[in-house]
PDB file of all heavy atoms in Angstrom:
ATOM      1  N   ASP D   6     -69.887  78.545 100.849  1.00 98.00           N
ATOM      2  CA  ASP D   6     -71.068  79.346 101.211  1.00 98.00           C
ATOM      3  C   ASP D   6     -71.020  80.710 100.536  1.00 98.00           C
ATOM      4  O   ASP D   6     -71.224  81.758 101.162  1.00 98.00           O
ATOM      5  CB  ASP D   6     -71.173  79.487 102.735  1.00 98.00           C
ATOM      6  CG  ASP D   6     -71.340  78.130 103.418  1.00 98.00           C
ATOM      7  OD1 ASP D   6     -71.975  77.236 102.817  1.00 98.00           O
ATOM      8  OD2 ASP D   6     -70.831  77.958 104.539  1.00 98.00           O
ATOM      9  N   ASP D   7     -70.729  80.693  99.226  1.00 97.00           N
ATOM     10  CA  ASP D   7     -70.686  81.874  98.357  1.00 97.00           C
ATOM     11  C   ASP D   7     -69.567  82.867  98.676  1.00 97.00           C
ATOM     12  O   ASP D   7     -69.552  83.977  98.167  1.00 97.00           O
ATOM     13  CB  ASP D   7     -72.040  82.603  98.324  1.00 97.00           C
ATOM     14  CG  ASP D   7     -73.097  81.780  97.610  1.00 97.00           C
ATOM     15  OD1 ASP D   7     -72.759  81.127  96.600  1.00 97.00           O
ATOM     16  OD2 ASP D   7     -74.254  81.770  98.068  1.00 97.00           O
ATOM     17  N   LYS D   8     -68.598  82.472  99.499  1.00 98.00           N
ATOM     18  CA  LYS D   8     -67.430  83.309  99.779  1.00 98.00           C
ATOM     19  C   LYS D   8     -66.236  82.723  99.010  1.00 98.00           C
ATOM     20  O   LYS D   8     -65.960  81.526  99.104  1.00 98.00           O
ATOM     21  CB  LYS D   8     -67.136  83.318 101.274  1.00 98.00           C
ATOM     22  CG  LYS D   8     -65.909  84.119 101.650  1.00 98.00           C
ATOM     23  CD  LYS D   8     -65.651  84.051 103.139  1.00 98.00           C
ATOM     24  CE  LYS D   8     -64.330  84.729 103.458  1.00 98.00           C
ATOM     25  NZ  LYS D   8     -63.947  84.528 104.864  1.00 98.00           N
ATOM     26  N   LEU D   9     -65.530  83.576  98.251  1.00 98.00           N
ATOM     27  CA  LEU D   9     -64.366  83.115  97.493  1.00 98.00           C
ATOM     28  C   LEU D   9     -63.256  82.707  98.452  1.00 98.00           C
ATOM     29  O   LEU D   9     -62.781  83.513  99.255  1.00 98.00           O
ATOM     30  CB  LEU D   9     -63.872  84.217  96.549  1.00 98.00           C
ATOM     31  CG  LEU D   9     -62.668  83.876  95.685  1.00 98.00           C
ATOM     32  CD1 LEU D   9     -62.981  82.742  94.715  1.00 98.00           C
ATOM     33  CD2 LEU D   9     -62.188  85.108  94.932  1.00 98.00           C
ATOM     34  N   LEU D  10     -62.836  81.429  98.368  1.00 98.00           N
ATOM     35  CA  LEU D  10     -61.785  80.900  99.231  1.00 98.00           C
ATOM     36  C   LEU D  10     -60.464  80.720  98.493  1.00 98.00           C
ATOM     37  O   LEU D  10     -59.401  80.706  99.113  1.00 98.00           O
ATOM     38  CB  LEU D  10     -62.214  79.544  99.814  1.00 98.00           C
ATOM     39  CG  LEU D  10     -63.512  79.522 100.605  1.00 98.00           C
ATOM     40  CD1 LEU D  10     -63.832  78.099 101.038  1.00 98.00           C
ATOM     41  CD2 LEU D  10     -63.437  80.471 101.796  1.00 98.00           C
ATOM     42  N   PHE D  11     -60.526  80.553  97.164  1.00 98.00           N
ATOM     43  CA  PHE D  11     -59.325  80.333  96.370  1.00 98.00           C
ATOM     44  C   PHE D  11     -59.586  80.780  94.944  1.00 98.00           C
ATOM     45  O   PHE D  11     -60.674  80.559  94.412  1.00 98.00           O
ATOM     46  CB  PHE D  11     -58.949  78.842  96.362  1.00 98.00           C
ATOM     47  CG  PHE D  11     -57.892  78.505  95.355  1.00 98.00           C
ATOM     48  CD1 PHE D  11     -56.551  78.720  95.626  1.00 98.00           C
ATOM     49  CD2 PHE D  11     -58.238  78.002  94.109  1.00 98.00           C
ATOM     50  CE1 PHE D  11     -55.577  78.442  94.684  1.00 98.00           C
ATOM     51  CE2 PHE D  11     -57.274  77.711  93.158  1.00 98.00           C
ATOM     52  CZ  PHE D  11     -55.940  77.933  93.447  1.00 98.00           C
ATOM     53  N   GLN D  12     -58.571  81.379  94.331  1.00 98.00           N
ATOM     54  CA  GLN D  12     -58.617  81.698  92.903  1.00 98.00           C
ATOM     55  C   GLN D  12     -57.225  81.474  92.332  1.00 98.00           C
ATOM     56  O   GLN D  12     -56.239  81.997  92.856  1.00 98.00           O
ATOM     57  CB  GLN D  12     -59.053  83.136  92.672  1.00 98.00           C
ATOM     58  CG  GLN D  12     -59.194  83.475  91.190  1.00 98.00           C
ATOM     59  CD  GLN D  12     -59.698  84.888  90.985  1.00 98.00           C
ATOM     60  OE1 GLN D  12     -59.145  85.843  91.514  1.00 98.00           O
ATOM     61  NE2 GLN D  12     -60.772  85.011  90.221  1.00 98.00           N
ATOM     62  N   SER D  13     -57.151  80.707  91.244  1.00 98.00           N
ATOM     63  CA  SER D  13     -55.864  80.441  90.600  1.00 98.00           C
ATOM     64  C   SER D  13     -55.486  81.586  89.671  1.00 98.00           C
ATOM     65  O   SER D  13     -56.323  82.420  89.313  1.00 98.00           O
ATOM     66  CB  SER D  13     -55.926  79.140  89.792  1.00 98.00           C
ATOM     67  OG  SER D  13     -56.680  79.325  88.600  1.00 98.00           O
ATOM     68  N   GLU D  14     -54.246  81.592  89.281  1.00 97.00           N
ATOM     69  CA  GLU D  14     -53.808  82.424  88.168  1.00 97.00           C
ATOM     70  C   GLU D  14     -54.387  81.806  86.900  1.00 97.00           C
ATOM     71  O   GLU D  14     -54.891  80.682  86.924  1.00 97.00           O
ATOM     72  CB  GLU D  14     -52.274  82.429  88.085  1.00 97.00           C
ATOM     73  CG  GLU D  14     -51.591  82.977  89.323  1.00 97.00           C
ATOM     74  CD  GLU D  14     -51.822  84.458  89.499  1.00 97.00           C
ATOM     75  OE1 GLU D  14     -51.890  85.177  88.480  1.00 97.00           O
ATOM     76  OE2 GLU D  14     -51.936  84.899  90.653  1.00 97.00           O
ATOM     77  N   LYS D  15     -54.269  82.478  85.773  1.00 96.00           N
ATOM     78  CA  LYS D  15     -54.670  81.876  84.504  1.00 96.00           C
ATOM     79  C   LYS D  15     -53.791  80.660  84.249  1.00 96.00           C
ATOM     80  O   LYS D  15     -52.582  80.704  84.457  1.00 96.00           O
ATOM     81  CB  LYS D  15     -54.512  82.856  83.345  1.00 96.00           C
ATOM     82  CG  LYS D  15     -55.546  83.935  83.315  1.00 96.00           C
ATOM     83  CD  LYS D  15     -55.361  84.811  82.090  1.00 96.00           C
ATOM     84  CE  LYS D  15     -56.337  85.955  82.102  1.00 96.00           C
ATOM     85  NZ  LYS D  15     -56.157  86.818  80.924  1.00 96.00           N
ATOM     86  N   MET D  16     -54.420  79.573  83.812  1.00 95.00           N
ATOM     87  CA  MET D  16     -53.700  78.342  83.503  1.00 95.00           C
ATOM     88  C   MET D  16     -53.896  78.024  82.027  1.00 95.00           C
ATOM     89  O   MET D  16     -55.019  78.052  81.533  1.00 95.00           O
ATOM     90  CB  MET D  16     -54.180  77.200  84.401  1.00 95.00           C
ATOM     91  CG  MET D  16     -53.981  77.506  85.881  1.00 95.00           C
ATOM     92  SD  MET D  16     -54.368  76.124  86.956  1.00 95.00           S
ATOM     93  CE  MET D  16     -52.840  75.184  86.807  1.00 95.00           C
ATOM     94  N   PHE D  17     -52.786  77.725  81.352  1.00 92.00           N
ATOM     95  CA  PHE D  17     -52.774  77.460  79.917  1.00 92.00           C
ATOM     96  C   PHE D  17     -52.488  75.980  79.678  1.00 92.00           C
ATOM     97  O   PHE D  17     -52.249  75.223  80.613  1.00 92.00           O
ATOM     98  CB  PHE D  17     -51.721  78.343  79.240  1.00 92.00           C
ATOM     99  CG  PHE D  17     -51.961  79.816  79.451  1.00 92.00           C
ATOM    100  CD1 PHE D  17     -51.418  80.480  80.542  1.00 92.00           C
ATOM    101  CD2 PHE D  17     -52.760  80.532  78.575  1.00 92.00           C
ATOM    102  CE1 PHE D  17     -51.647  81.830  80.747  1.00 92.00           C
ATOM    103  CE2 PHE D  17     -52.997  81.888  78.768  1.00 92.00           C
ATOM    104  CZ  PHE D  17     -52.442  82.532  79.860  1.00 92.00           C
ATOM    105  N   GLY D  18     -52.470  75.567  78.419  1.00 87.00           N
ATOM    106  CA  GLY D  18     -52.264  74.168  78.072  1.00 87.00           C
ATOM    107  C   GLY D  18     -50.941  73.584  78.532  1.00 87.00           C
ATOM    108  O   GLY D  18     -50.854  72.406  78.828  1.00 87.00           O
ATOM    109  N   LYS D  19     -49.912  74.378  78.622  1.00 89.00           N
ATOM    110  CA  LYS D  19     -48.598  73.885  79.047  1.00 89.00           C
ATOM    111  C   LYS D  19     -48.311  74.193  80.519  1.00 89.00           C
ATOM    112  O   LYS D  19     -47.247  73.857  81.031  1.00 89.00           O
ATOM    113  CB  LYS D  19     -47.498  74.522  78.180  1.00 89.00           C
ATOM    114  CG  LYS D  19     -47.679  74.274  76.698  1.00 89.00           C
ATOM    115  CD  LYS D  19     -47.093  72.972  76.279  1.00 89.00           C
ATOM    116  CE  LYS D  19     -47.167  72.858  74.756  1.00 89.00           C
ATOM    117  NZ  LYS D  19     -47.356  71.543  74.286  1.00 89.00           N
ATOM    118  N   THR D  20     -49.261  74.828  81.220  1.00 93.00           N
ATOM    119  CA  THR D  20     -49.062  75.128  82.638  1.00 93.00           C
ATOM    120  C   THR D  20     -49.071  73.831  83.434  1.00 93.00           C
ATOM    121  O   THR D  20     -50.010  73.037  83.310  1.00 93.00           O
ATOM    122  CB  THR D  20     -50.183  76.058  83.164  1.00 93.00           C
ATOM    123  OG1 THR D  20     -50.239  77.234  82.368  1.00 93.00           O
ATOM    124  CG2 THR D  20     -49.957  76.419  84.615  1.00 93.00           C
ATOM    125  N   PRO D  21     -48.051  73.572  84.245  1.00 95.00           N
ATOM    126  CA  PRO D  21     -48.036  72.348  85.054  1.00 95.00           C
ATOM    127  C   PRO D  21     -49.218  72.330  86.034  1.00 95.00           C
ATOM    128  O   PRO D  21     -49.728  73.388  86.421  1.00 95.00           O
ATOM    129  CB  PRO D  21     -46.722  72.430  85.832  1.00 95.00           C
ATOM    130  CG  PRO D  21     -45.923  73.497  85.205  1.00 95.00           C
ATOM    131  CD  PRO D  21     -46.867  74.393  84.468  1.00 95.00           C
ATOM    132  N   PRO D  22     -49.639  71.128  86.457  1.00 97.00           N
ATOM    133  CA  PRO D  22     -50.720  71.060  87.436  1.00 97.00           C
ATOM    134  C   PRO D  22     -50.300  71.775  88.718  1.00 97.00           C
ATOM    135  O   PRO D  22     -49.125  71.785  89.077  1.00 97.00           O
ATOM    136  CB  PRO D  22     -50.918  69.566  87.668  1.00 97.00           C
ATOM    137  CG  PRO D  22     -49.697  68.907  87.153  1.00 97.00           C
ATOM    138  CD  PRO D  22     -49.094  69.811  86.133  1.00 97.00           C
ATOM    139  N   LYS D  23     -51.275  72.365  89.374  1.00 98.00           N
ATOM    140  CA  LYS D  23     -51.019  73.058  90.641  1.00 98.00           C
ATOM    141  C   LYS D  23     -51.745  72.312  91.741  1.00 98.00           C
ATOM    142  O   LYS D  23     -52.958  72.094  91.663  1.00 98.00           O
ATOM    143  CB  LYS D  23     -51.512  74.500  90.563  1.00 98.00           C
ATOM    144  CG  LYS D  23     -51.359  75.273  91.869  1.00 98.00           C
ATOM    145  CD  LYS D  23     -51.848  76.701  91.716  1.00 98.00           C
ATOM    146  CE  LYS D  23     -51.798  77.462  93.016  1.00 98.00           C
ATOM    147  NZ  LYS D  23     -50.473  77.751  93.504  1.00 98.00           N
ATOM    148  N   LYS D  24     -51.004  71.911  92.770  1.00 98.00           N
ATOM    149  CA  LYS D  24     -51.597  71.245  93.941  1.00 98.00           C
ATOM    150  C   LYS D  24     -52.174  72.319  94.848  1.00 98.00           C
ATOM    151  O   LYS D  24     -51.484  73.273  95.202  1.00 98.00           O
ATOM    152  CB  LYS D  24     -50.525  70.441  94.668  1.00 98.00           C
ATOM    153  CG  LYS D  24     -50.977  69.825  95.970  1.00 98.00           C
ATOM    154  CD  LYS D  24     -51.868  68.643  95.756  1.00 98.00           C
ATOM    155  CE  LYS D  24     -52.150  67.965  97.097  1.00 98.00           C
ATOM    156  NZ  LYS D  24     -52.949  66.786  96.955  1.00 98.00           N
ATOM    157  N   ILE D  25     -53.461  72.178  95.171  1.00 98.00           N
ATOM    158  CA  ILE D  25     -54.092  73.137  96.072  1.00 98.00           C
ATOM    159  C   ILE D  25     -54.619  72.422  97.310  1.00 98.00           C
ATOM    160  O   ILE D  25     -54.976  71.242  97.258  1.00 98.00           O
ATOM    161  CB  ILE D  25     -55.233  73.925  95.389  1.00 98.00           C
ATOM    162  CG1 ILE D  25     -56.391  73.005  94.983  1.00 98.00           C
ATOM    163  CG2 ILE D  25     -54.706  74.717  94.206  1.00 98.00           C
ATOM    164  CD1 ILE D  25     -57.665  73.741  94.586  1.00 98.00           C
ATOM    165  N   GLU D  26     -54.646  73.131  98.405  1.00 98.00           N
ATOM    166  CA  GLU D  26     -55.307  72.706  99.635  1.00 98.00           C
ATOM    167  C   GLU D  26     -56.040  73.922 100.167  1.00 98.00           C
ATOM    168  O   GLU D  26     -55.411  74.929 100.495  1.00 98.00           O
ATOM    169  CB  GLU D  26     -54.300  72.170 100.648  1.00 98.00           C
ATOM    170  CG  GLU D  26     -53.709  70.842 100.228  1.00 98.00           C
ATOM    171  CD  GLU D  26     -52.852  70.202 101.308  1.00 98.00           C
ATOM    172  OE1 GLU D  26     -52.611  70.842 102.363  1.00 98.00           O
ATOM    173  OE2 GLU D  26     -52.426  69.065 101.099  1.00 98.00           O
ATOM    174  N   VAL D  27     -57.352  73.832 100.204  1.00 98.00           N
ATOM    175  CA  VAL D  27     -58.187  74.964 100.577  1.00 98.00           C
ATOM    176  C   VAL D  27     -58.917  74.623 101.873  1.00 98.00           C
ATOM    177  O   VAL D  27     -59.554  73.573 101.975  1.00 98.00           O
ATOM    178  CB  VAL D  27     -59.209  75.292  99.457  1.00 98.00           C
ATOM    179  CG1 VAL D  27     -60.080  76.475  99.840  1.00 98.00           C
ATOM    180  CG2 VAL D  27     -58.491  75.544  98.134  1.00 98.00           C
ATOM    181  N   ASN D  28     -58.833  75.523 102.839  1.00 98.00           N
ATOM    182  CA  ASN D  28     -59.526  75.342 104.108  1.00 98.00           C
ATOM    183  C   ASN D  28     -61.022  75.539 103.879  1.00 98.00           C
ATOM    184  O   ASN D  28     -61.450  76.622 103.477  1.00 98.00           O
ATOM    185  CB  ASN D  28     -58.996  76.348 105.135  1.00 98.00           C
ATOM    186  CG  ASN D  28     -59.646  76.182 106.490  1.00 98.00           C
ATOM    187  OD1 ASN D  28     -60.690  75.563 106.643  1.00 98.00           O
ATOM    188  ND2 ASN D  28     -59.033  76.758 107.500  1.00 98.00           N
ATOM    189  N   ILE D  29     -61.805  74.489 104.146  1.00 98.00           N
ATOM    190  CA  ILE D  29     -63.261  74.579 103.989  1.00 98.00           C
ATOM    191  C   ILE D  29     -63.979  74.270 105.306  1.00 98.00           C
ATOM    192  O   ILE D  29     -65.165  73.951 105.314  1.00 98.00           O
ATOM    193  CB  ILE D  29     -63.762  73.653 102.854  1.00 98.00           C
ATOM    194  CG1 ILE D  29     -63.413  72.192 103.138  1.00 98.00           C
ATOM    195  CG2 ILE D  29     -63.213  74.100 101.513  1.00 98.00           C
ATOM    196  CD1 ILE D  29     -64.130  71.201 102.239  1.00 98.00           C
ATOM    197  N   GLU D  30     -63.265  74.403 106.397  1.00 98.00           N
ATOM    198  CA  GLU D  30     -63.856  74.129 107.707  1.00 98.00           C
ATOM    199  C   GLU D  30     -65.061  75.037 107.942  1.00 98.00           C
ATOM    200  O   GLU D  30     -64.996  76.246 107.714  1.00 98.00           O
ATOM    201  CB  GLU D  30     -62.820  74.342 108.812  1.00 98.00           C
ATOM    202  CG  GLU D  30     -63.268  73.834 110.153  1.00 98.00           C
ATOM    203  CD  GLU D  30     -62.137  73.747 111.157  1.00 98.00           C
ATOM    204  OE1 GLU D  30     -60.996  74.131 110.842  1.00 98.00           O
ATOM    205  OE2 GLU D  30     -62.417  73.285 112.279  1.00 98.00           O
ATOM    206  N   GLY D  31     -66.176  74.457 108.363  1.00 98.00           N
ATOM    207  CA  GLY D  31     -67.391  75.210 108.633  1.00 98.00           C
ATOM    208  C   GLY D  31     -68.247  75.505 107.413  1.00 98.00           C
ATOM    209  O   GLY D  31     -69.296  76.126 107.523  1.00 98.00           O
ATOM    210  N   VAL D  32     -67.825  75.033 106.237  1.00 98.00           N
ATOM    211  CA  VAL D  32     -68.551  75.296 104.987  1.00 98.00           C
ATOM    212  C   VAL D  32     -69.696  74.299 104.824  1.00 98.00           C
ATOM    213  O   VAL D  32     -69.507  73.094 104.971  1.00 98.00           O
ATOM    214  CB  VAL D  32     -67.592  75.240 103.779  1.00 98.00           C
ATOM    215  CG1 VAL D  32     -68.352  75.203 102.467  1.00 98.00           C
ATOM    216  CG2 VAL D  32     -66.619  76.404 103.827  1.00 98.00           C
ATOM    217  N   THR D  33     -70.872  74.812 104.489  1.00 98.00           N
ATOM    218  CA  THR D  33     -72.038  73.965 104.233  1.00 98.00           C
ATOM    219  C   THR D  33     -72.164  73.632 102.752  1.00 98.00           C
ATOM    220  O   THR D  33     -72.498  72.509 102.394  1.00 98.00           O
ATOM    221  CB  THR D  33     -73.322  74.673 104.711  1.00 98.00           C
ATOM    222  OG1 THR D  33     -73.206  74.912 106.111  1.00 98.00           O
ATOM    223  CG2 THR D  33     -74.554  73.835 104.436  1.00 98.00           C
ATOM    224  N   GLU D  34     -71.900  74.615 101.870  1.00 98.00           N
ATOM    225  CA  GLU D  34     -72.013  74.415 100.427  1.00 98.00           C
ATOM    226  C   GLU D  34     -70.694  74.788  99.755  1.00 98.00           C
ATOM    227  O   GLU D  34     -70.230  75.915  99.847  1.00 98.00           O
ATOM    228  CB  GLU D  34     -73.138  75.271  99.862  1.00 98.00           C
ATOM    229  CG  GLU D  34     -73.364  75.046  98.377  1.00 98.00           C
ATOM    230  CD  GLU D  34     -74.475  75.926  97.836  1.00 98.00           C
ATOM    231  OE1 GLU D  34     -74.169  77.064  97.423  1.00 98.00           O
ATOM    232  OE2 GLU D  34     -75.628  75.470  97.835  1.00 98.00           O
ATOM    233  N   LEU D  35     -70.111  73.814  99.079  1.00 98.00           N
ATOM    234  CA  LEU D  35     -68.844  73.987  98.381  1.00 98.00           C
ATOM    235  C   LEU D  35     -69.110  74.126  96.893  1.00 98.00           C
ATOM    236  O   LEU D  35     -69.835  73.309  96.311  1.00 98.00           O
ATOM    237  CB  LEU D  35     -67.946  72.773  98.634  1.00 98.00           C
ATOM    238  CG  LEU D  35     -66.579  72.761  97.987  1.00 98.00           C
ATOM    239  CD1 LEU D  35     -65.701  73.862  98.559  1.00 98.00           C
ATOM    240  CD2 LEU D  35     -65.927  71.397  98.199  1.00 98.00           C
ATOM    241  N   LYS D  36     -68.537  75.160  96.281  1.00 98.00           N
ATOM    242  CA  LYS D  36     -68.746  75.383  94.856  1.00 98.00           C
ATOM    243  C   LYS D  36     -67.391  75.404  94.151  1.00 98.00           C
ATOM    244  O   LYS D  36     -66.512  76.189  94.500  1.00 98.00           O
ATOM    245  CB  LYS D  36     -69.470  76.709  94.642  1.00 98.00           C
ATOM    246  CG  LYS D  36     -69.943  76.944  93.239  1.00 98.00           C
ATOM    247  CD  LYS D  36     -70.605  78.313  93.042  1.00 98.00           C
ATOM    248  CE  LYS D  36     -71.630  78.647  94.081  1.00 98.00           C
ATOM    249  NZ  LYS D  36     -72.208  79.996  93.899  1.00 98.00           N
ATOM    250  N   LEU D  37     -67.216  74.517  93.164  1.00 98.00           N
ATOM    251  CA  LEU D  37     -66.016  74.457  92.340  1.00 98.00           C
ATOM    252  C   LEU D  37     -66.331  75.094  91.001  1.00 98.00           C
ATOM    253  O   LEU D  37     -67.214  74.629  90.283  1.00 98.00           O
ATOM    254  CB  LEU D  37     -65.571  73.004  92.135  1.00 98.00           C
ATOM    255  CG  LEU D  37     -65.373  72.172  93.403  1.00 98.00           C
ATOM    256  CD1 LEU D  37     -64.953  70.755  93.037  1.00 98.00           C
ATOM    257  CD2 LEU D  37     -64.372  72.815  94.334  1.00 98.00           C
ATOM    258  N   VAL D  38     -65.613  76.148  90.666  1.00 98.00           N
ATOM    259  CA  VAL D  38     -65.904  76.943  89.473  1.00 98.00           C
ATOM    260  C   VAL D  38     -64.680  76.953  88.566  1.00 98.00           C
ATOM    261  O   VAL D  38     -63.553  77.097  89.042  1.00 98.00           O
ATOM    262  CB  VAL D  38     -66.279  78.389  89.867  1.00 98.00           C
ATOM    263  CG1 VAL D  38     -66.470  79.261  88.642  1.00 98.00           C
ATOM    264  CG2 VAL D  38     -67.529  78.398  90.738  1.00 98.00           C
ATOM    265  N   VAL D  39     -64.905  76.791  87.272  1.00 98.00           N
ATOM    266  CA  VAL D  39     -63.858  77.016  86.267  1.00 98.00           C
ATOM    267  C   VAL D  39     -64.408  78.026  85.278  1.00 98.00           C
ATOM    268  O   VAL D  39     -65.478  77.833  84.708  1.00 98.00           O
ATOM    269  CB  VAL D  39     -63.447  75.720  85.535  1.00 98.00           C
ATOM    270  CG1 VAL D  39     -62.429  76.032  84.448  1.00 98.00           C
ATOM    271  CG2 VAL D  39     -62.880  74.705  86.512  1.00 98.00           C
ATOM    272  N   LYS D  40     -63.658  79.116  85.108  1.00 97.00           N
ATOM    273  CA  LYS D  40     -64.045  80.178  84.180  1.00 97.00           C
ATOM    274  C   LYS D  40     -63.053  80.214  83.030  1.00 97.00           C
ATOM    275  O   LYS D  40     -61.898  79.796  83.187  1.00 97.00           O
ATOM    276  CB  LYS D  40     -64.014  81.538  84.893  1.00 97.00           C
ATOM    277  CG  LYS D  40     -65.027  81.668  85.999  1.00 97.00           C
ATOM    278  CD  LYS D  40     -64.917  83.036  86.637  1.00 97.00           C
ATOM    279  CE  LYS D  40     -65.987  83.219  87.696  1.00 97.00           C
ATOM    280  NZ  LYS D  40     -65.866  84.527  88.351  1.00 97.00           N
ATOM    281  N   ASP D  41     -63.516  80.738  81.894  1.00 94.00           N
ATOM    282  CA  ASP D  41     -62.557  80.949  80.819  1.00 94.00           C
ATOM    283  C   ASP D  41     -61.616  82.061  81.275  1.00 94.00           C
ATOM    284  O   ASP D  41     -61.962  82.876  82.115  1.00 94.00           O
ATOM    285  CB  ASP D  41     -63.261  81.292  79.499  1.00 94.00           C
ATOM    286  CG  ASP D  41     -63.778  82.703  79.440  1.00 94.00           C
ATOM    287  OD1 ASP D  41     -62.961  83.618  79.237  1.00 94.00           O
ATOM    288  OD2 ASP D  41     -64.998  82.890  79.601  1.00 94.00           O
ATOM    289  N   GLY D  42     -60.431  82.066  80.773  1.00 91.00           N
ATOM    290  CA  GLY D  42     -59.427  83.030  81.198  1.00 91.00           C
ATOM    291  C   GLY D  42     -59.542  84.374  80.516  1.00 91.00           C
ATOM    292  O   GLY D  42     -58.548  85.077  80.375  1.00 91.00           O
ATOM    293  N   GLY D  43     -60.747  84.731  80.064  1.00 89.00           N
ATOM    294  CA  GLY D  43     -60.955  86.010  79.425  1.00 89.00           C
ATOM    295  C   GLY D  43     -60.797  85.971  77.919  1.00 89.00           C
ATOM    296  O   GLY D  43     -60.861  86.994  77.251  1.00 89.00           O
ATOM    297  N   ASP D  44     -60.596  84.762  77.386  1.00 88.00           N
ATOM    298  CA  ASP D  44     -60.361  84.623  75.945  1.00 88.00           C
ATOM    299  C   ASP D  44     -61.373  83.699  75.279  1.00 88.00           C
ATOM    300  O   ASP D  44     -61.092  83.100  74.260  1.00 88.00           O
ATOM    301  CB  ASP D  44     -58.933  84.124  75.697  1.00 88.00           C
ATOM    302  CG  ASP D  44     -58.650  82.799  76.405  1.00 88.00           C
ATOM    303  OD1 ASP D  44     -59.555  82.263  77.076  1.00 88.00           O
ATOM    304  OD2 ASP D  44     -57.525  82.301  76.292  1.00 88.00           O
ATOM    305  N   GLY D  45     -62.528  83.550  75.880  1.00 87.00           N
ATOM    306  CA  GLY D  45     -63.536  82.634  75.346  1.00 87.00           C
ATOM    307  C   GLY D  45     -63.326  81.228  75.877  1.00 87.00           C
ATOM    308  O   GLY D  45     -62.371  80.954  76.597  1.00 87.00           O
ATOM    309  N   THR D  46     -64.214  80.317  75.486  1.00 88.00           N
ATOM    310  CA  THR D  46     -64.190  78.966  76.052  1.00 88.00           C
ATOM    311  C   THR D  46     -63.598  77.910  75.126  1.00 88.00           C
ATOM    312  O   THR D  46     -63.600  76.733  75.460  1.00 88.00           O
ATOM    313  CB  THR D  46     -65.613  78.537  76.460  1.00 88.00           C
ATOM    314  OG1 THR D  46     -66.451  78.556  75.296  1.00 88.00           O
ATOM    315  CG2 THR D  46     -66.179  79.452  77.532  1.00 88.00           C
TER     316      THR D  46
END
């Protein structure tokens, strides 16, 4: 519902996968966002 619930560190090509569990109880709209890490896409 437009409130930031989780933000990862910058992840690179050799960064191992990160297991996440995010509490979304009571959320009506869930938004999954991936941004460039500040170095273009």
Side-chain angles (χ1 to χ4, degrees):
D6 298 327
D7 291 322
K8 178 182 174 188
L9 180 64
L10 303 177
F11 169 81
Q12 184 177 53
S13 74
E14 299 292 325
K15 286 183 184 179
M16 301 186 81
F17 301 90
K19 303 275 186 213
T20 304
K23 177 179 176 69
K24 174 74 173 183
I25 64 167
E26 290 188 354
V27 180
N28 182 343
I29 60 167
E30 191 166 3
V32 168
T33 300
E34 184 181 89
L35 180 66
K36 190 183 312 178
L37 306 179
V38 175
V39 176
K40 295 180 176 178
D41 76 77
D44 57 1
T46 60

